[in-house]
Amino acid sequence: MTAPTTAIDLAASVRSGETTCAAVVDEAIAEIEARDGEIHAFNHVAADEARSRAAEIDAMVADGVDPGPLAGVPVALKDNMCTRGVPTTCSSKILGDWRPPYDATVVTRLREAGAVVVGKTNLDEFAMGSSTENSAFGPTRNPLDTSRVPGGSSGGSAAAVAARYVPLSFGSDTGGSIRQPAALCGVVGVKPTYGAVSRLGLIAFASSLDQIGPFTHTVADAALATEAISGHDPGDSTSIERGPLDISRQLDVGVAGLRVGRITDLPTGADPDVVERLDEAFEALAVAGAEIVDVEVPAFTYGLTAYYLVAPAEASSNLARFDGVRFGARVNAADTNAMYMATRSEGFGAEVKRRIMLGTYALSAGYYDAYYGRALKVRRRIADDFASAYASCDVMLTPTSPSVAFEFGSKTDDPLAMYLCDTYTIPSNLSGDPGMSVPFGTGEHGLPVGVQVLAPALEEARMFRVAAELERSAP
Amino acid sequence: MSPPLTRDDVAKVARLARLELTDDELDSATAELTKMLAHFADIDALDLDGVEPMNNPTHLANVMRDDVEGATLDRDEVLGEAPSVEEERFRVPPIIGLDE
Amino acid sequence: MTADTESRDEPGTSRDTWTHESNGLVYEMVVGLEVHVELATATKLFSASPNRFGDEPNTNIDPVTLGLPGALPVLNRQAVELAMKLGLALNCAIQRSTFARKNYFYPDMPKAYQISQYDEPINVDGWLDLPDGFRVGIERAHLEEDTGKTTHVGGAGGRIHGSDFSLVDFNRAGVPLLEIVSRPDIRSPDQAKAYVSELRAILEATGVSDAKMEEGSMRVDANVSVRLPGAEFGTRCEIKNVNSVRSVGRAIDYEARRQIALIDGGESVVQQTRHWDENEGRTHTLRSKEDADDYRYFLEPDLVVVDPDPEWIERVRASLPPLPAARRSALAEATGDAPDSESVAIAVERGQDDYVLAVGAAGGDAARGLTHVKQAFADEGADPSVPAADLAKLTRMEADGVVTATQAKQILADLIERGGGDPEAIAAERGFEAMETDELEGMVDAAIAAEPDAWTKFRAGENKAMGALVGHVMKASRGQADGKAVSALLQQKKNA
């Protein structure tokens, strides 16, 4: 493979007129067409739309108009973000060939930044899963080892970058769905602070947990991409009322003086290689001048339970609108209720049904207090424990995933085993704090290991400083 | 501490969620959910008295928009995506469950 | 054996009580009303498409209205303000509030959940005073979104049962609603009707809603139960589809009798939702859905709390117009009528109370003014075409005995036709001159002579007989005589 072409370099050459956007987009589409038959990162390649947008970008450059910081950069979007007139499936049969009548805010922001959407990427149906095996259109393969999963649920977006089709893609992270596949595919993946990036047009899995973020090869690209999509959106009531995040300018500040937390009561279960890489990451940061401090986050270990009650509860409600009335697929039946049952039973896959059932149960009369209500209290406990820990440290490091990429089918028979993939990523979705995964060496079979950097809400700049240092010192 | 899950509970949940389960699916779903709930019983040991539930990380309040008309969707574009349409309306099969 | 009584209890109030006797037991009804009103906003509760009645189907739509994947709600500030306005008008406390999702499947509910204020409503603990002074408690008044509209096609005349299919229009989906929940304080159909009428008057006066029951912008559900006075509340039924003030009274009357008949027959009342059929004059059961009660409410994660600061609340309070009750009191004070008298109520309902007060302020006789306004201004709006000063002058002439009541009516008719004028000039044009007492006395004597039987009966204490005597004078004077003066003369002569 050739040296990675970064989004920053590509944008610079398009802005300067050194390359045309048309050429860049053509190359990306050619790569996808040549190699994606095996990988299956994409559900849909929007070649025509991408080419006509590329022509517009080139015309802007020719007219001396700056297309923006991501000028001409081809990007891939997880197929749960609405793109006007372009199929949006959530990798589910239930959406049929639905074409949204509107663009997600992130799509609009990317367009305004000069990026070109080349296609929609595969995911675990409705973003429920950790391997991208739960797709109605078949799994995505890990470009680094095609016998293994890319992680999930944003496996297609991770693979699209790892396969070097595009330098930049976007996923959504509800319990680790960006960070875990980033780790398994050896790329950078970011979950911004809840509310930093608009969710408008992101097809909701769990509204209080979902955030959109980028996949890139480099920390600097991830910073630029996060800046481009962040900032207040009046169309999302949970959008934080401030401008875009300011990250890139501080990437090279270093970590001298930063207190990096090591969670002493972190749940066990990570592979030995993964634990070793994490230890090396602490050492590298210490060498670079950071202070490593022990912290406790006692409720961290309860994150999994809280998450698997809260997220399915919200999902059971969010996915109720897929009823065969206004859009998407319908299975006909004699009456409306029978139509609902037939449409939903046929349209949803097994994991989606499992979570809808779990969530419906957790909210139902007589069980709300024992399950959903209690999970919300655990959630508060986790957020409080994080806040206490951040009183004595500036960032924390954990593994991103307990293991490297695993083989197809190895966890599909045991939902709980699959859920454990998210042990380390879930708590920051519950608290709303940012987190990101940075490749840091390899583990079993020479497969990449990711280290997760966690920071307090809206301290992305600090989180990225640490990530940049890990990138510089990675083995 | 948490109440045990019965097959009837699962059947009721499936009805609420408008999912059709065969008898076999009902059995396996009951077993599967029981196993999960047993795993999730780890939080039963926590003393959560007086802990304020957290339903969302947001600290925002009073997020409102002005009462000003904005763009509407094109009806033809929207109806073109619908499974069944008649007289510019969404058509559904007869609604059962009301009116004897 | 059953018997109904309409009686008045609680001396000092005119609270109408409905009771129903059955097998020697006297039952009363216990009624609480849930009134849904569409708020008079320009746009929907959570999106910017128009809140407009009567448009082409599926034109006022956007991703939120249709519940499209990825759509997110953003709260309409004006809807919150109108909710606060009504809350203040109903003496409610305005509190920090949240929205929840009420989950259920129905084709007119696009997201399969309704966003509604559940356990933390914006308005709580208020009251509404009926014109007769009876106070109905308000439990809450909360914001929620309306559903789309379903049309049933085929089968028996557009009814849902037996229809071939249904068609859904989402123009109404997402229209802001305020649900006003009364406490179960209502005890009679008349009180229920008075409550709905008064609430509608407040909604109109405050501009919170146009409150048109016939267009569905105001909808009433009634929770009805019966009990022996002083006993625990009975099992209640919710009556839906009550579409006019009149049917509010009819529906709860029917329902209470139905429940008493059940109890009387040894059966018990089953808690259920029932549908009022206006044509048949009865309530029907709606087949209860097996999961009807499990709405799985939880806080709407796509919205944040609403917590109005005191300044905002005070600004809204200051913007409240005078409410119907206060206006009735003011008018009653100026005219000497009772606040719940028909004349006062009508004038306030028509918005003509300010006009009557202006007649008084211009030196006129407000009581006479009110009588004229009630009778002659039915077709005039809140701002009658006759200047208040002109009517004031007319009532003064009348009070001074310059013209009779009958003449005054004729002058007023001219004033209305001309859009005002000088009543004195009109009286002169018409040749109206008040009769001197001498002349009148002569005519009274002539009447006594002409109607000896009537005079005898009148003297014997039969007051009805006075009519023939007065009638004779009026006829002889061609309506120019003042009826009151004639009566007074007859009384004098009788007592002499």
Side-chain angles (χ1 to χ4, degrees):
Chain A
M1 274 182 207
T2 53
T5 307
T6 66
I8 289 174
D9 290 347
L10 264 180
S13 64
V14 170
R15 276 167 135 171
S16 69
E18 196 179 315
T19 12
T20 64
C21 181
V24 172
V25 165
D26 279 343
E27 193 185 329
I29 291 170
E31 287 292 311
I32 295 164
E33 281 171 353
R35 295 193 279 129
D36 205 43
E38 187 189 9
I39 305 292
H40 186 213
F42 283 87
N43 283 346
H44 177 82
V45 180
D48 293 345
E49 292 89 342
R51 289 195 171 106
S52 71
R53 180 63 185 148
E56 286 172 24
I57 301 274
D58 286 334
M60 286 170 82
V61 173
D63 290 349
V65 178
D66 181 10
L70 292 172
V73 177
V75 300
L77 300 176
K78 190 178 184 178
D79 203 10
N80 61 352
M81 298 176 207
C82 289
T83 42
R84 181 165 188 179
V86 173
T88 301
T89 69
C90 289
S91 289
S92 179
K93 283 195 286 182
I94 206 158
L95 271 152
D97 54 2
W98 184 57
R99 290 164 194 260
Y102 74 109
D103 277 326
T105 297
V106 161
V107 176
T108 307
R109 296 248 161 114
L110 286 172
R111 192 183 168 82
E112 286 165 1
V116 179
V117 175
V118 296
K120 308 294 288 288
T121 61
N122 199 15
L123 62 148
D124 285 297
E125 184 180 2
F126 284 101
M128 296 178 184
S130 306
S131 66
T132 317
E133 289 168 289
N134 302 327
S135 164
F137 310 129
T140 296
R141 296 180 181 278
N142 191 319
L144 306 178
D145 178 346
T146 53
S147 70
R148 291 170 189 271
V149 303
S153 64
S154 312
S157 286
V161 171
R164 301 192 188 285
Y165 300 146
V166 288
L168 173 60
S169 68
F170 292 86
S172 63
D173 189 313
T174 306
S177 281
I178 292 172
R179 292 162 287 167
Q180 185 258 12
L184 270 50
C185 289
V187 297
V188 177
V190 182
K191 182 203 88 81
T193 302
Y194 184 82
V197 177
S198 172
R199 293 182 295 113
L200 179 56
L202 169 67
I203 300 179
F205 161 13
S207 314
S208 77
L209 300 158
D210 297 340
Q211 271 292 283
I212 294 173
F215 291 93
T216 59
H217 284 289
T218 67
V219 170
D221 271 3
L224 180 64
T226 304
E227 288 167 343
I229 60 170
S230 66
H232 182 238
D233 175 12
D236 173 356
S237 304
T238 60
S239 170
I240 294 169
E241 288 165 353
R242 50 186 271 172
L245 293 164
D246 181 5
I247 306 168
S248 298
R249 292 187 305 153
Q250 299 173 60
L251 278 185
D252 296 329
V253 170
V255 296
L258 275 187
R259 297 166 303 167
V260 179
R262 182 202 305 266
I263 302 173
T264 54
D265 47 3
L266 196 68
T268 55
D271 288 353
D273 288 344
V274 171
V275 174
E276 276 176 35
R277 293 299 89 75
L278 179 66
D279 288 343
E280 290 163 18
F282 278 115
E283 282 166 30
L285 294 177
V287 167
E291 182 193 348
I292 311 303
V293 297
D294 284 349
V295 294
E296 287 183 353
V297 185
F300 198 111
T301 190
Y302 300 105
L304 194 83
T305 291
Y307 175 84
Y308 275 98
L309 293 170
V310 170
E314 292 185 23
S316 71
S317 175
N318 284 329
L319 270 59
R321 69 186 61 194
F322 299 92
D323 60 3
V325 174
R326 301 165 315 286
F327 54 84
R330 171 189 291 188
V331 177
N332 280 313
D335 65 78
T336 291
N337 249 322
M339 184 276 283
Y340 288 153
M341 303 277 258
T343 298
R344 292 167 60 78
S345 301
E346 192 122 315
F348 290 136
E351 181 62 24
V352 171
K353 288 187 210 172
R354 185 178 291 129
R355 296 205 198 182
I356 289 175
M357 297 277 290
L358 178 57
T360 303
Y361 181 68
L363 287 173
S364 65
Y367 304 103
Y368 178 100
D369 290 341
Y371 293 115
Y372 183 69
R374 229 176 137 68
L376 293 184
K377 292 184 171 192
V378 176
R379 183 177 191 178
R380 172 75 61 193
R381 193 51 85 64
I382 290 167
D384 288 350
D385 284 358
F386 268 129
S388 306
Y390 284 127
S392 53
C393 69
D394 300 308
V395 295
M396 293 186 261
L397 291 196
T398 75
T400 304
S401 160
S403 73
V404 296
F406 45 92
E407 290 178 323
F408 285 104
S410 61
K411 295 181 199 285
T412 42
D413 292 340
D414 184 358
L416 277 170
M418 190 72 86
Y419 296 174
L420 286 166
C421 293
D422 301 329
T423 302
Y424 300 119
T425 47
I426 276 172
S428 55
N429 293 90
L430 290 166
S431 68
D433 299 331
M436 68 189 288
S437 182
V438 192
F440 199 82
T442 56
E444 275 192 311
H445 313 290
L447 290 163
V449 168
V451 164
Q452 178 177 229
V453 187
L454 299 173
L458 295 172
E459 295 295 349
E460 271 83 353
R462 191 194 293 166
M463 178 174 82
F464 270 84
R465 275 166 61 195
V466 175
E469 189 59 47
L470 290 174
E471 184 179 53
R472 283 190 286 271
S473 56
Chain B
M1 196 163 146
S2 307
L5 182 77
T6 67
R7 198 172 182 276
D8 283 350
D9 289 334
V10 179
K12 184 197 157 207
V13 164
R15 271 198 310 275
L16 278 173
R18 298 297 186 274
L19 293 173
E20 229 159 15
L21 297 189
T22 63
D23 279 358
D24 283 353
E25 285 172 330
L26 201 53
D27 287 333
S28 59
T30 307
E32 210 169 66
L33 286 174
T34 300
K35 190 178 162 197
M36 281 184 201
L37 294 173
H39 192 269
F40 299 155
D42 61 342
I43 63 169
D44 288 355
L46 290 173
D47 177 9
L48 297 170
D49 286 353
V51 177
E52 181 72 13
M54 174 175 171
N55 79 302
N56 195 300
T58 188
H59 300 291
L60 298 169
N62 296 328
V63 176
M64 289 173 274
R65 63 182 177 83
D66 292 338
D67 185 24
V68 176
E69 272 188 37
T72 53
L73 289 173
D74 179 68
R75 180 167 70 181
D76 293 340
E77 185 180 357
V78 167
L79 294 180
E81 294 292 331
S84 181
V85 168
E86 193 163 314
E87 294 171 15
E88 275 68 53
R89 294 171 173 88
F90 297 86
R91 180 179 161 148
V92 294
I95 302 165
I96 308 287
L98 295 165
D99 216 8
E100 293 289 295
Chain C
M1 281 295 290
T2 65
D4 299 321
T5 57
E6 288 275 345
S7 67
R8 286 171 185 247
D9 63 358
E10 293 189 20
T13 78
S14 58
R15 175 184 156 185
D16 296 312
T17 318
W18 181 100
T19 54
H20 187 91
E21 193 184 327
S22 181
N23 278 343
L25 297 172
V26 178
Y27 291 88
E28 69 173 359
M29 63 165 66
V30 174
V31 175
L33 296 179
E34 292 174 12
V35 178
H36 286 84
V37 295
E38 290 180 353
L39 298 179
T41 54
T43 66
K44 297 192 175 176
L45 184 53
F46 298 118
S47 64
S49 61
N51 166 15
R52 209 156 45 215
F53 180 79
D55 283 359
E56 279 286 295
N58 290 309
T59 49
N60 298 334
I61 52 169
D62 57 75
V64 173
T65 295
L66 289 175
L68 294 187
L72 291 176
V74 185
L75 182 60
N76 183 337
R77 183 183 290 105
Q78 179 66 7
V80 175
E81 186 152 325
L82 291 178
M84 288 163 60
K85 213 166 184 177
L86 187 73
L88 292 169
L90 295 180
N91 311 289
C92 290
I94 292 175
Q95 61 172 19
R96 176 189 179 279
S97 64
T98 53
F99 288 91
R101 293 185 183 181
K102 178 182 183 179
N103 295 283
Y104 67 96
F105 286 87
Y106 203 82
D108 65 12
M109 179 49 73
K111 304 178 297 303
Y113 56 82
Q114 180 193 32
I115 304 178
S116 172
Q117 297 198 307
Y118 181 52
D119 49 9
E120 298 171 298
I122 183 163
N123 299 304
V124 291
D125 288 335
W127 72 82
L128 184 154
D129 285 337
L130 302 185
D132 67 1
F134 183 74
R135 178 164 291 186
V136 178
I138 302 292
E139 192 180 308
R140 54 190 284 159
H142 68 261
L143 283 161
E144 62 185 32
E145 55 180 341
D146 207 345
T147 61
K149 254 187 185 155
T150 311
T151 311
H152 309 295
V153 181
R159 296 221 1 222
I160 189 165
H161 179 66
S163 65
D164 297 328
F165 57 90
S166 299
L167 299 176
V168 194
D169 167 16
F170 289 104
N171 280 352
R172 196 182 67 179
V175 162
L177 292 178
L178 199 59
E179 179 176 343
I180 304 138
V181 183
S182 87
R183 295 197 187 281
D185 292 344
I186 293 165
R187 294 289 176 274
S188 76
D190 282 342
Q191 280 179 352
K193 283 154 65 183
Y195 172 86
V196 173
S197 300
E198 186 67 5
L199 184 55
R200 193 170 58 182
I202 293 171
L203 289 161
E204 283 173 358
T206 50
V208 168
S209 172
D210 63 9
K212 290 182 180 161
M213 289 186 84
E214 63 282 9
E215 284 184 8
S217 64
M218 178 171 186
R219 311 194 275 272
V220 179
D221 299 335
N223 286 305
V224 180
S225 64
V226 296
R227 66 169 179 183
L228 300 174
E232 296 283 296
F233 286 152
T235 304
R236 67 182 194 187
C237 289
E238 187 179 7
I239 315 301
K240 291 194 174 284
N241 193 42
V242 189
N243 295 327
S244 69
V245 174
R246 181 166 166 267
S247 40
V248 170
R250 289 180 73 205
I252 63 178
D253 180 74
Y254 172 87
E255 177 60 19
R257 288 165 197 266
R258 187 190 71 85
Q259 292 181 12
I260 292 166
L262 276 179
I263 295 166
D264 200 26
E267 293 177 65
S268 52
V269 177
V270 180
Q271 183 165 349
Q272 59 186 188
T273 300
R274 299 178 67 85
H275 193 83
W276 170 248
D277 187 316
E278 182 68 36
N279 295 328
E280 294 182 28
R282 53 175 293 233
T283 59
H284 290 274
T285 176
L286 296 177
R287 187 190 297 152
S288 64
K289 285 173 276 178
E290 45 203 10
D291 50 38
D293 292 323
D294 203 344
Y295 292 124
R296 289 156 288 136
Y297 285 99
F298 70 104
L299 279 181
E300 165 58 280
D302 289 329
L303 291 167
V304 301
V305 300
V306 181
D307 196 4
D309 58 35
E311 292 95 87
W312 189 16
I313 296 173
E314 287 318 308
R315 242 182 6 255
V316 175
R317 196 191 304 276
S319 76
L320 278 178
L323 297 176
R327 288 163 51 193
R328 284 194 302 266
S329 299
L331 189 58
E333 197 175 320
T335 59
D337 285 41
D340 62 338
S341 71
E342 199 195 347
S343 312
V344 167
I346 286 177
V348 169
E349 209 178 293
R350 292 188 196 149
Q352 294 167 336
D353 47 326
D354 280 349
Y355 177 79
V356 176
L357 295 175
V359 169
D365 180 326
R368 282 191 164 82
L370 177 61
T371 307
H372 286 306
V373 162
K374 181 192 163 198
Q375 292 167 350
F377 284 5
D379 299 328
E380 304 265 322
D383 207 5
S385 55
V386 178
D390 295 348
L391 182 58
K393 187 168 182 185
L394 179 61
T395 58
R396 227 166 33 232
M397 288 162 66
E398 203 183 339
D400 294 345
V402 178
V403 292
T404 67
T406 316
Q407 291 168 338
K409 273 187 207 171
Q410 293 171 16
I411 294 169
L412 183 55
D414 287 351
L415 285 171
I416 291 171
E417 208 183 299
R418 301 177 193 183
D422 180 2
E424 239 174 54
I426 295 172
E429 269 172 46
R430 283 182 166 264
F432 291 165
E433 280 168 51
M435 275 176 217
E436 295 301 322
T437 306
D438 291 351
E439 193 183 344
L440 196 60
E441 202 168 349
M443 295 183 88
V444 168
D445 288 340
I448 288 170
E451 305 274 352
D453 284 359
W455 175 241
T456 310
K457 283 182 186 165
F458 176 60
R459 290 191 70 182
E462 211 175 308
N463 280 328
K464 270 197 295 186
M466 191 202 270
L469 297 163
V470 174
H472 191 96
V473 175
M474 296 312 280
K475 202 174 167 190
S477 68
R478 273 172 288 141
Q480 306 270 330
D482 182 342
K484 277 186 190 164
V486 175
S487 305
L489 277 170
L490 283 166
Q491 286 292 353
Q492 277 174 28
K493 288 184 181 292
K494 172 185 155 188
N495 298 337

